[in-house]
Amino acid sequence: MITGSWRDQSIDLKQYNRIFVAVMTDNVPARQKVEDEIASSLKALGLTTIKSMYPAYELHI
């Protein structure tokens, strides 16, 4: 569950085409799940994400 977030309202998200997603927790399964959920939401907005938990073969940088 995401309990809070912050975003600078003066910045238009459409300026970015790739977003790095990282969740700060020692619980790896929870980290993967939350990063996947955030990345999925951003993808629905037309953005490309790079998750901190990506396997190396999935990186296309």
Side-chain angles (χ1 to χ4, degrees):
M1 172 190 322
I2 297 173
T3 58
S5 65
W6 177 86
R7 179 173 79 86
D8 184 343
Q9 298 297 322
S10 68
I11 296 175
D12 182 11
L13 288 179
K14 293 181 182 177
Q15 294 176 5
Y16 301 99
N17 57 12
R18 282 200 278 186
I19 307 290
F20 181 74
V21 177
V23 173
M24 306 296 284
T25 181
D26 291 331
N27 183 331
V28 174
R31 180 177 174 180
Q32 289 174 316
K33 181 174 176 51
V34 174
E35 286 186 9
D36 287 345
E37 290 176 7
I38 292 170
S40 178
S41 295
L42 291 170
K43 184 176 181 180
L45 296 173
L47 299 167
T48 301
T49 58
I50 300 170
K51 298 178 289 184
S52 71
M53 298 298 295
Y54 265 121
Y57 64 84
E58 289 187 21
L59 292 177
H60 302 288
I61 300 174

